[in-house]
Amino acid sequence: MVTPTPPPAGREPSPAYREWQSRQRRRRQRILLTRLALLVAFLVLWEVLAKTHVVNPMLTSYPSALWPTFLDLLHNGKLLMHTWVTFKATLIGFMLSMVIGIGVAAGLWWSDFAHKVLDPFLVVANAMPKIAFVPIFYIWLGSEYSVYGMAVAIAVFVTIMVVYDGFQSIDPNKIKLARTLGASRAQVLRLVVMPGSVPTLVAALKMNIGLALVGVIVGEFQSASAGLGFLIVNGSQVFQLNVVMTAIVVLGLLSGLMYLVIARIEAAMAKRYA
């Protein structure tokens, strides 16, 4: 379908454009309603299967049992504390991964020699199972900071490779024009490469927030004394499946909220650099 051209500023939209906008609104509403219907169907199916013992409720719990557990954890302050610990670690790991990843990618773009030397090491490091680093980080960084180390270890290598590929995809004619006009290599990076790589940087943000959260949860599984990962492991050890499932649901909500924030950033950047 061809998208109608938006009207110039100050002019009334055409009937065709208004009709297209109306179709887009209806489509967004259908998508939202379908999402809600799928979620409700999943919860109802989960409840029915557990209540009728098609699946063992001792192993899966069920939605109506999670709400009292959620309220209990909320009232005694444990849920907010554990959620905050996980969120803080994810945010720190996410920011460190983005800063390190963009910095290293810029260095690889700056020096083709460095890229040729380091590229196989980056590929191998990215392919390694990061959970193998948990005991090393625990010894090096301690129980608290090893969680941040895991978040960075899981997210940073993907960030480097994705951002570097974005830098390399910039139109070479634009770079050549900037150099012809007297721009230094640093100016080309700052004024041409970085702004031209905004879609790639946003894609890296979207991947990085999820990977950082995975790293934090893996770290909390192994060595933490607080956080949603710790709550899940602790609940499973004492066979409190309601606590485990409640923590998993909260973890899903947290990841969804962080993704929505990144989506807002993506929309704002798209308008600015359209």
Side-chain angles (χ1 to χ4, degrees):
M1 184 190 302
V2 178
T3 302
T5 304
R11 292 188 58 182
E12 288 291 325
S14 66
Y17 186 73
R18 285 199 296 267
E19 175 61 24
W20 177 81
Q21 286 183 312
S22 178
R23 287 198 303 269
Q24 292 301 305
R25 282 195 296 269
R26 290 196 297 270
R27 184 172 184 272
R28 287 194 296 267
Q29 290 171 355
R30 288 198 301 271
I31 291 172
L32 179 60
L33 289 174
T34 304
R35 288 172 177 171
L36 292 175
L38 286 173
L39 178 60
V40 171
F42 169 76
L43 294 175
V44 169
L45 183 63
W46 180 11
E47 180 83 14
V48 170
L49 291 178
K51 286 292 186 66
T52 56
H53 292 268
V54 174
V55 296
N56 190 342
M58 288 289 293
L59 301 178
T60 63
S61 188
Y62 44 91
S64 62
L66 300 186
W67 182 245
T69 304
F70 174 82
L71 292 179
D72 181 57
L73 291 172
L74 191 64
H75 289 156
N76 63 28
K78 290 184 179 180
L79 186 62
L80 291 179
M81 184 272 291
H82 289 297
T83 303
W84 168 249
V85 169
T86 297
F87 173 72
K88 182 183 71 171
T90 301
L91 193 60
I92 293 174
F94 167 74
M95 291 190 296
L96 287 174
S97 300
M98 287 302 300
V99 171
I100 296 171
I102 293 173
V104 173
L108 296 178
W109 175 88
W110 190 285
S111 172
D112 185 61
F113 177 79
H115 172 256
K116 290 186 181 301
V117 171
L118 297 177
D119 182 60
F121 297 103
L122 291 172
V123 172
V124 170
N126 183 57
M128 286 184 64
K130 306 304 184 298
I131 195 170
F133 296 133
V134 172
I136 298 174
F137 287 147
Y138 183 79
I139 295 171
W140 289 354
L141 304 174
S143 61
E144 180 180 356
Y145 296 107
S146 63
V147 174
Y148 304 144
M150 280 303 303
V152 174
I154 286 181
V156 70
F157 298 108
V158 174
T159 304
I160 292 171
M161 291 188 290
V162 168
V163 173
Y164 175 77
D165 286 343
F167 288 173
Q168 287 293 98
S169 67
I170 298 298
D171 187 352
N173 291 324
K174 293 181 179 180
I175 297 175
K176 189 180 296 183
L177 176 61
R179 297 302 296 269
T180 302
L181 294 174
S184 65
R185 197 163 182 80
Q187 288 173 323
V188 171
L189 177 63
R190 181 169 57 88
L191 300 175
V192 178
V193 175
M194 293 290 285
S197 302
V198 166
T200 301
L201 294 173
V202 172
L205 287 175
K206 294 170 75 173
M207 288 188 300
N208 212 335
I209 194 67
L211 291 173
L213 182 58
V214 170
V216 167
I217 295 301
V218 170
E220 289 177 349
F221 279 171
Q222 300 294 323
S223 61
S225 57
L228 292 175
F230 167 79
L231 195 62
I232 291 170
V233 170
N234 189 59
S236 64
Q237 289 174 343
V238 296
F239 222 72
Q240 292 182 337
L241 268 298
N242 288 346
V243 173
V244 173
M245 298 305 293
T246 300
I248 291 174
V249 170
V250 173
L251 187 60
L253 293 174
L254 179 63
S255 61
L257 288 174
M258 291 190 294
Y259 181 84
L260 287 176
V261 171
I262 299 299
R264 291 285 186 179
I265 295 174
E266 179 182 23
M269 299 297 280
K271 288 182 181 179
R272 181 171 181 177
Y273 290 95

